[in-house]
Amino acid sequence: MGKRASSPTGWTKCGRAISGDVVRKKQLEIILQKLSPHPSPSAELEQYMTPGGVAAALLQLANSQGDIAGKVVCDLGCGTGRLAVGAALLGAERVIGVDVDPTALEIAEQNAARAGVDIEWIRGDVNEFKRADTDTVIQNPPFGVQRRGADMVFLRKALQLAPVVYSLHKATPKNRAFIAERVKEMGAKITDRLELWFHIPRQFKFHTRRVHRFKVDLYRIEKGGKKW
Amino acid sequence: MAREKISQKLLEILACPVCKQGVELKGDELVCAGCGRRYPIVDGIPHMLPDKLR
């Protein structure tokens, strides 16, 4: 495990503070891991499924900060809907999933039905909301490896939609510095950062290993001021 | 066809991706109040994409 930065919201204590919820987190991970993947992921859109453990960690942490249960949650670039379904399972009042790919949304709809939750799906680029009463955005955006800057488009939109954003990004020192700078530019603040491991089975030709293992950073970002 | 119509709540937050105006439900399509572009609803999912991306 990587180092965990100490944080005002107490993520460092998570293991202990929510120990009563550890079983639930494991259950959540198992449910999410069972959801169907995309039948034909696109390399250009960087479609790979958020690993169940990472999705569960993101959701549990967000929930422990009071950002999921009873809230309006939006999953940008939802793909097959792992994060969206998880948020609904944790008691979000309303969940909206947005993705540009109709095949992914079809699977997402099936996944939601299987998990017994109701989610509003929208096919669109990340630009189609006119206003937002969204409390929290959760997202696993494209890492911007295939298309540079793709993750920043998501982050900017997310911060327009909601006062609190949970977002996964590539964990390299360079990228960390870059994100910190951009977030500041957007008038927002990184309140927490947590390093997680991603395991992705080989799915694209340029993947040279059977299982690709790499680090990602989970960010909690807060916008200054109230939602618009 | 799972759900033909979309909810009022969802309608309220949608906007035309081209001109950013609100959209209205007309028949089984969404129509932009500003530029009149039309967006289909397929299996209950609004497809809010500008022409070049369809």
Side-chain angles (χ1 to χ4, degrees), chain A residues 46-84:
Chain A
E46 298 186 45
Q47 288 178 327
Y48 50 84
M49 208 155 172
T50 316
V54 171
L58 184 155
L59 290 160
Q60 203 75 38
L61 287 167
N63 204 27
S64 73
Q65 306 302 319
D67 294 326
I68 301 287
K71 301 287 181 180
V72 179
V73 178
C74 180
D75 181 355
L76 284 186
C78 62
T80 53
R82 263 196 184 166
L83 289 174

Side-chain angles (χ1 to χ4, degrees), chain A residues 84-123:
Chain A
V85 167
L89 287 171
L90 288 176
E93 184 199 307
R94 180 179 178 193
V95 183
I96 301 153
V98 184
D99 205 283
V100 76
D101 175 11
T103 312
L105 285 173
E106 211 173 285
I107 309 285
E109 229 179 358
Q110 291 165 12
N111 280 336
R114 204 138 57 111
V117 293
D118 203 19
I119 291 167
E120 295 161 61
W121 305 106
I122 298 172
R123 180 180 175 213

Side-chain angles (χ1 to χ4, degrees), chain A residues 159-164 187-189 221-228:
Chain A
L159 283 165
Q160 283 169 9
L161 288 174
V164 180
K189 201 176 120 198
I221 301 169
E222 238 176 54
K223 194 166 64 176
K226 274 307 268 182
K227 51 189 161 178
W228 48 276

Side-chain angles (χ1 to χ4, degrees), chain A residues 10 13 22 24 32 40 48-49 76 89 98 125 147 149 151 171 185 199 201-202 209-210 222:
Chain A
K13 294 190 220 94
V22 167
R24 272 184 42 207
L32 296 180
S40 51
Y48 50 84
M49 208 155 172
L76 284 186
L89 287 171
V98 184
D125 204 44
R147 266 197 307 180
D151 55 341
E185 269 171 33
H199 296 85
R202 183 178 195 267
R209 299 204 185 98
R210 204 153 44 83
E222 238 176 54

Side-chain angles (χ1 to χ4, degrees), chain A residues 124-142:
Chain A
D125 204 44
V126 285
N127 286 314
E128 70 298 307
F129 292 106
K130 72 173 165 185
R131 66 162 179 269
D133 46 3
T134 313
D135 296 305
T136 310
V137 169
I138 49 177
Q139 60 179 7
N140 178 16

Side-chain angles (χ1 to χ4, degrees), chain B residues 16-50:
Chain B
C16 170
V18 180
C19 69
K20 316 292 177 202
Q21 296 280 314
V23 292
E24 292 162 8
L25 185 63
K26 282 194 184 149
D28 51 5
E29 280 181 328
L30 296 169
V31 181
C32 172
C35 64
R37 279 192 178 76
R38 303 196 300 196
Y39 299 95
I41 300 172
V42 182
D43 291 337
I45 298 175
H47 285 212
M48 308 302 293
L49 286 175

